[in-house]
Amino acid sequence: MTSRPTVVFDLGNVLIAWDPHPAIAAAVGPDRAQAFLTGDFGFAAWNHAQDAGRSWDDGEAAALETHPHLADEIRAYRRHFDLSMVGPVEGSVTILRTLAAHGVRLLALTNWSAELFPRAVERFDFLSLFEHITVSGRISLAKPDPGVFHRLAADAPVDLLGTVFVDDSPANVEAAASVGMDAITFTTPGRLARELALRGLPVPTPDELGEPRT
């Protein structure tokens, strides 16, 4: 008897298009938002701390202490967070639904603030297709820390060895591979479909994905 195939998905920019710029621009305009995101504030590292379990109250307080002149930008992201969830990555969602329809076991492992993740659940119905979602902010551990994969293995549970993992971050893909997962770097839904098909998994046709045949 063969075991049921399992695929583990990242969410942000794999299934849900994410861009912090619209959220911040809603409060301060596009130019100031761009300067905030690309300047020396260090948005990515600051946001990652919340993904790794720091509360937003604590995160904002720490940022306001060191960058008081950026108060409007700092507060804008959480306040207008829904605007950062630009929408579903339609082709990837089609892949997800196809896998689900064929009985593939679906898990998710996402770097996401525990406080903000419920907003995604409310908005995107396809998240209900996952048997289990490990949210980094809830366990105070975030990718690419290899420990987060072991936590998924314990909580799901799932055998990491050979399990397919899909993420848009090369660092996260490298970390997943280091613990024995069959890790795929996400670029486009079409390429993901081809990678999954090579592994014998059911995928939609290029026409169903809305992509040209190659």
Side-chain angles (χ1 to χ4, degrees), residues 61-205:
L64 290 168
E65 183 174 349
T66 57
H67 295 77
H69 59 293
L70 295 174
D72 291 340
E73 287 88 340
I74 289 164
R75 293 191 176 103
Y77 178 65
R78 176 170 54 155
R79 183 174 300 154
H80 301 287
F81 175 75
D82 288 355
L83 295 176
S84 75
M85 297 186 293
V86 179
V89 182
E90 295 290 358
S92 296
V93 175
T94 299
I95 292 170
L96 183 75
R97 294 192 188 280
T98 299
L99 293 171
H102 286 81
V104 175
R105 188 183 186 212
L106 299 171
L107 307 174
L109 174 58
T110 184
N111 281 3
W112 207 300
S113 156
E115 295 167 76
L116 299 182
F117 187 67
R119 300 193 195 177
V121 175
E122 291 172 3
R123 179 169 168 187
F124 300 105
D125 66 336
F126 58 81
L127 294 178
S128 66
L129 296 174
F130 289 106
E131 177 183 318
H132 174 82
I133 301 176
T134 292
V135 178
S136 63
R138 293 175 178 167
I139 62 172
S140 298
L141 195 63
K143 297 174 290 184
D145 188 325
V148 77
F149 301 100
H150 295 294
R151 181 61 182 269
L152 169 70
D155 290 349
V158 62
D159 182 358
L160 296 179
L161 187 62
T163 291
V164 175
F165 173 74
V166 182
D167 199 298
D168 66 307
S169 163
N172 295 345
V173 169
E174 182 179 351
S178 76
V179 298
M181 302 186 82
D182 180 5
I184 298 171
T185 302
F186 177 82
T187 53
T188 68
R191 289 184 179 180
L192 174 59
R194 291 190 287 275
E195 289 283 354
L196 295 174
L198 288 173
R199 291 158 172 80
L201 291 162
V203 295
T205 66

